[in-house]
Amino acid sequence: MQQLPKRNPNSLLRNRIFLYGLLFVSAIILLTIVFFRQKPLEYYDKTEYHLGTYVTIRVSSSTMSPVTLAEAAMTEIKRIDDKFGSRNNGVIAELNRTGELHDIDKETSFLIRSALEIARNTSGAFDPTLYSLTRLWGFDDASSKKRIPSDKEIEDALGSTGFSRVTYDEELGYVSLVDGAMIDLGGIAKGYAVDMAIAKIKSLDPEATGFIDAGGDIGVIGPKYGNRPWIVGVRNPRGESVQDVLEYIYLYDGAVATSGDYERFFIENNVRYHHIFDPETGFPSRSGVISATVIGKSTMLADAYATAAFVIGMEPGVTFLPRFGALVLLVMEDMSIFRSPGFEVYQEK
């Protein structure tokens, strides 16, 4: 009977060591692959001062540099600020100087048409012709002296306000101002700039995620890490810091904007004078609202309707604005909170 050759114990040990080593390396490779697949996206932040406020872009991408995306978006915001700022040398500044423009471009036409449409929808609570009042009170620029104008000054300024003093012909590309009216698109251009910056990012990477915050006007680029909501705090208007929050909103998309009397104001004789004017009186609005937050599909609409909601107040503001796609949360002087129907949906995780 033929005997089988005896196995070398050292050879068996070497084979086992090799096998275990191979299994170990395979496990490491597998874990590495799983780790990189599940590794959360890293977000890049870029902050600059534009549109009269600090603009922060937080963005992430799995296909290209988030730095490139943020720089492209910020360039777009600066372009819109230069073009539509009332104090710059852009198209709106030219319109205010000359009183009329011919053959305006499509973008300018869109913004003016949108501003006038929202003015009509809100019966003038949002009014793009209040620049003379803004300048009179010193809220046109951070460096301007803030003061309480005389009744005569306010009366004179009101004589050149009102969106009915804007003549606009879309087909001819013509816009004119009468009675010394001056346009200020700050209440709508900031939100529009956010929307256009998001569009710029999406054109480069449709799957990018993040958000853009322009002084409280927030537009969502995409859900956090691709599947989670961004949590937006509604600031306590009488809180000591931005971390003092009254309510939370959860957004996967869309936009939210807040107008409050704590943003730009001065206090004289224990009275707070802020930058959101009542178009009828020429004084800072006294509707009982100290903060108005609006959720909408676009930052531009949320921005403008937040201003209108602040001026209109609880009634009928929270009842008719949702028909224009604006869900409203108002913080009143007594710190009570009112919501339009449907707003609560965005407060559920």
Side-chain angles (χ1 to χ4, degrees):
M1 186 177 192
Q2 185 178 6
Q3 282 188 328
L4 294 173
K6 293 182 179 180
R7 295 184 179 181
N8 189 331
N10 292 333
S11 177
L12 288 174
L13 181 60
R14 284 195 300 271
N15 289 339
R16 287 179 179 177
I17 292 175
F18 174 77
L19 179 61
Y20 291 151
L22 185 62
L23 290 174
F24 178 75
V25 171
S26 298
I28 290 296
I29 292 173
L30 180 61
L31 288 173
T32 301
I33 293 173
V34 171
F35 173 77
F36 279 108
R37 282 181 178 175
Q38 296 180 348
K39 183 180 179 181
L41 296 170
E42 294 183 358
Y43 284 90
Y44 170 75
D45 287 5
K46 185 177 183 64
T47 300
E48 292 183 5
Y49 191 85
H50 299 294
L51 305 162
T53 189
Y54 285 99
V55 178
T56 295
I57 298 172
R58 174 169 291 183
V59 64
S60 183
S61 171
S62 59
T63 60
M64 64 184 302
S65 167
V67 177
T68 300
L69 294 176
E71 289 177 348
M74 199 66 82
T75 298
E76 181 70 356
I77 286 174
K78 184 180 183 302
R79 179 189 70 81
I80 294 169
D81 189 18
D82 292 340
K83 183 174 181 179
F84 296 111
S86 297
R87 291 177 61 90
N88 298 325
N89 295 318
V91 62
I92 298 304
E94 182 182 353
L95 173 60
N96 287 337
R97 283 194 305 269
T98 63
E100 64 177 0
L101 290 177
H102 297 267
D103 299 321
I104 57 177
D105 62 89
K106 291 183 178 180
E107 184 175 52
T108 302
S109 180
F110 170 76
L111 261 189
I112 292 177
R113 181 179 71 248
S114 298
L116 294 176
E117 180 180 351
I118 295 169
R120 287 190 293 269
N121 291 346
T122 61
S123 299
F126 172 83
D127 192 328
T129 66
L130 301 185
Y131 185 61
S132 57
L133 282 171
T134 302
R135 190 172 57 177
L136 183 63
W137 284 80
F139 287 113
D140 58 321
D141 190 80
S143 61
S144 298
K145 182 180 179 180
K146 313 298 184 288
R147 68 185 185 92
I148 304 173
S150 68
D151 292 343
K152 180 63 167 60
E153 288 176 308
I154 293 174
E155 182 181 354
D156 290 344
L158 286 173
S160 62
T161 64
F163 67 94
S164 62
R165 290 182 166 87
V166 181
T167 300
Y168 167 67
D169 190 316
E170 184 175 4
E171 290 186 5
L172 296 177
Y174 173 76
V175 59
S176 69
L177 308 175
V178 298
D179 299 329
M182 301 179 75
I183 279 187
D184 179 6
L185 294 182
I188 192 172
K190 185 168 65 171
Y192 173 74
V194 172
D195 291 338
M196 292 303 294
I198 291 174
K200 175 63 71 174
I201 289 174
K202 288 295 191 179
S203 70
L204 297 172
D205 178 11
E207 302 303 319
T209 73
F211 65 85
I212 299 177
D213 180 357
D217 290 0
I218 300 172
V220 174
I221 302 168
K224 188 176 184 178
Y225 300 134
N227 57 14
R228 303 180 195 174
W230 291 102
I231 303 173
V232 181
V234 177
R235 180 177 172 179
N236 182 343
R238 297 296 178 262
E240 296 182 357
S241 72
V242 294
Q243 281 74 38
D244 195 346
V245 172
L246 289 177
E247 301 279 332
Y248 289 98
I249 299 168
Y250 301 90
L251 288 180
Y252 290 90
D253 55 20
V256 60
T258 297
S259 291
D261 69 355
Y262 56 86
E263 296 169 327
R264 287 183 283 165
F265 70 94
F266 66 92
I267 295 177
E268 189 166 320
N269 296 326
N270 295 320
V271 178
R272 181 186 296 252
Y273 296 94
H274 55 80
H275 74 294
I276 307 172
F277 294 103
D278 184 331
E280 293 185 0
T281 67
F283 278 81
S285 174
R286 299 288 184 233
S287 65
V289 177
I290 59 177
S291 173
T293 298
V294 166
I295 296 173
K297 291 183 178 180
S298 78
T299 322
M300 182 188 77
L301 294 178
D303 186 12
Y305 281 115
T307 299
F310 188 101
V311 174
I312 294 168
M314 186 177 67
E315 292 293 344
V318 295
T319 59
F320 83 87
L321 286 183
R323 77 178 66 165
F324 303 115
L327 299 177
V328 186
L329 181 149
L330 303 177
V331 181
M332 310 303 291
E333 289 177 337
D334 62 0
M335 299 306 294
S336 60
I337 294 176
F338 296 88
R339 300 172 182 82
S340 58
F343 195 97
E344 71 282 354
V345 172
Y346 292 89
Q347 296 191 276
E348 301 170 356
K349 291 185 178 180

